[in-house]
Amino acid sequence: QVQLQESGPGLVKPSQTLSLTCTVTGCSITTNDYYWSWIRQPPGKGLEWMGAIGSSGRTDYSPSRKSRTSISRDTSKNQFTLQLSSVTPEDTAVYYCAEAFGGSPSEDSSAYTNWGQGVQVTVSS
């Protein structure tokens, strides 16, 4: 069974870079046809897809945040990482990592089979 676990600081100051790591067990992140996404939910709002990294290492990003978002991976640790630069209080959210199989990276949350438990990140001075 695929399991995902997010980790990272819960508090980030405005203008800094948010960095979160997702550790995956039960499946190699290089397994063909899987892709691995970051999704967030701001307070009182719906889910927002941030971007994804595929089994080949290809990345795709939400156009609205593409200039501030970077997703990378460490295959030796079976982890993938989200970096979001120049954060503001509007980036406060619960951040999730999630896994999907087949197709292309999707903004539709129903495409994802397994999710991490989520990590609360607050942007505040």
Side-chain angles (χ1 to χ4, degrees):
Q1 181 179 355
V2 181
Q3 294 184 316
L4 303 95
Q5 178 67 58
E6 305 90 349
S7 60
L11 180 64
V12 183
K13 295 184 184 299
S15 80
Q16 292 186 342
T17 296
L18 177 162
S19 183
L20 298 174
T21 296
C22 183
T23 300
V24 180
T25 57
C27 178
S28 169
I29 60 173
T30 62
T31 302
N32 286 344
D33 297 327
Y34 279 84
Y35 60 90
W36 310 89
S37 285
W38 286 98
I39 299 165
R40 73 181 186 182
Q41 186 166 28
K45 297 184 178 180
L47 295 168
E48 299 178 349
W49 180 74
M50 305 292 291
I53 187 164
S55 54
S56 67
R58 169 181 166 154
T59 53
D60 291 273
Y61 300 110
S62 171
S64 61
R65 284 173 292 275
K66 184 174 182 178
S67 64
R68 299 195 293 129
T69 307
S70 177
I71 297 175
S72 59
R73 66 182 185 176
D74 185 337
T75 57
S76 68
K77 296 180 180 179
N78 216 39
Q79 296 174 332
F80 61 106
T81 299
L82 169 72
Q83 291 192 309
L84 182 66
S85 63
S86 304
V87 297
T88 72
E90 286 66 42
D91 294 308
T92 293
V94 177
Y95 285 77
Y96 299 92
C97 55
E99 162 265 320
F101 177 79
S104 299
S106 175
E107 299 190 31
D108 183 355
S109 61
S110 67
Y112 297 90
T113 303
N114 293 293
W115 295 65
Q117 64 183 21
V119 60
Q120 171 70 48
V121 177
T122 300
V123 179
S124 175
S125 55

